[in-house]
Amino acid sequence: MSDVINDIVGMLIGLGPIVAALLWSDLHDRLRHRANRVGAEIRSTANRVLGGESMLAVRVQPAIAWRPGRVHLSIPGGYEFLIASVSDAVINRLPHNYELVVHRG
């Protein structure tokens, strides 16, 4: 009977890191998927406000347990008025656990 218990414990110890890696990968994929949806929503909002594609770049970092998600808006120098045009609409579309970061050229 103790051999069976030892085998089960050994199997659990051997599979533990594999299961943990799979769970971590699944969590990472879910967070990245949500960040991609947020990015698509922000791009759509910016395109709607500006009347089409522009030089405004949108990059999204997913939210994790110890840090909120971040939406980065970037624009070349001299075109800061584009960010001013879309900032209110973008802020209204941000999820509650995301923050807006603006980068100027």
Side-chain angles (χ1 to χ4, degrees), residues 55-57 73-83 102-105:
M55 292 184 285
L56 183 70
L73 298 181
S74 303
I75 198 75
Y79 293 93
E80 288 82 8
F81 66 92
L82 293 176
I83 289 180
V102 176
H103 303 274
R104 296 183 313 181

Side-chain angles (χ1 to χ4, degrees), residues 20-54:
L22 289 173
L23 290 174
W24 176 254
S25 177
D26 182 57
L27 175 65
H28 183 265
D29 289 346
R30 288 174 189 262
L31 293 173
R32 175 54 49 200
H33 179 69
R34 178 151 192 254
N36 288 339
R37 284 187 296 159
V38 169
E41 180 69 29
I42 298 301
R43 285 181 195 88
S44 173
T45 299
N47 290 343
R48 189 171 40 256
V49 169
L50 296 174
E53 291 288 330
S54 68

Side-chain angles (χ1 to χ4, degrees), residues 2 20 58 76 84:
S2 67
V58 178

Side-chain angles (χ1 to χ4, degrees), residues 65 78 100:
L100 180 63

Side-chain angles (χ1 to χ4, degrees), residues 35 38 58-64 66-73 94 97-101 103:
V38 169
V58 178
R59 186 173 53 92
V60 181
Q61 289 179 308
I64 50 180
W66 54 87
R67 178 185 53 76
R70 293 188 177 121
V71 174
H72 297 267
L73 298 181
L94 286 177
N97 59 341
Y98 276 75
E99 56 189 22
L100 180 63
V101 179
H103 303 274

